[in-house]
Amino acid sequence: MIIDFFLGFIKIHILYHASKEPVFGLELIKELARHGYHISPGTLYPILHRLLNEEYLTIETKVVNGKVRKYYRITARGKRALKECTGKIHELVEEVVEGR
Ligand SMILES: [Zn+2]
């Protein structure tokens, strides 16, 4: 189970990575684990589906080594959300981390 706060952080990590290059599920699971979020595909995929439904991400399929793989890419709406979150993150770090 993941607590609500982390869910927001995880979504921001996903948007950020999808803004750099198209990403696939397993890659995101490894990347999130690197940040200390150990989540299963059963947790990740519903989050990705929500981001798709809300049009923050789009999906495309590619065939890699004979396997069909789903890649997620950020949308213009996703980029706007990420930009807005970045400002809020600065604000949060300034106050909560740096005590200003
Ligand atoms: Zn990362």
Side-chain angles (χ1 to χ4, degrees):
M1 199 199 91
I2 48 172
I3 66 171
D4 286 359
F5 304 112
F6 289 169
L7 182 59
F9 297 161
I10 287 167
K11 285 163 116 178
I12 293 166
H13 274 293
I14 293 171
L15 285 186
Y16 172 76
H17 286 287
S19 77
K20 295 291 161 197
E21 58 187 354
V23 287
F24 58 94
L26 189 61
E27 186 183 16
L28 283 172
I29 286 175
K30 286 183 186 162
E31 176 61 22
L32 289 166
R34 198 175 69 80
H35 290 295
Y37 305 107
H38 299 276
I39 63 169
S40 66
T43 300
L44 179 69
Y45 285 100
I47 298 171
L48 287 173
H49 285 131
R50 262 173 58 194
L51 292 171
L52 283 169
N53 284 339
E54 292 160 5
E55 296 177 350
Y56 294 115
L57 293 177
T58 55
I59 198 166
E60 59 190 68
T61 53
K62 281 189 202 172
V63 179
V64 179
N65 300 326
K67 278 193 215 163
V68 177
R69 199 177 257 172
K70 288 175 181 167
Y71 280 86
Y72 301 89
R73 190 189 282 277
I74 199 165
T75 61
R77 182 176 156 83
K79 281 180 191 163
R80 283 196 301 273
L82 184 59
K83 199 175 165 194
E84 212 171 305
C85 286
T86 306
K88 303 280 191 214
I89 291 166
H90 279 297
E91 187 80 31
L92 193 69
V93 168
E94 253 184 40
E95 182 166 282
V96 177
V97 182
E98 295 169 0
R100 278 194 264 163

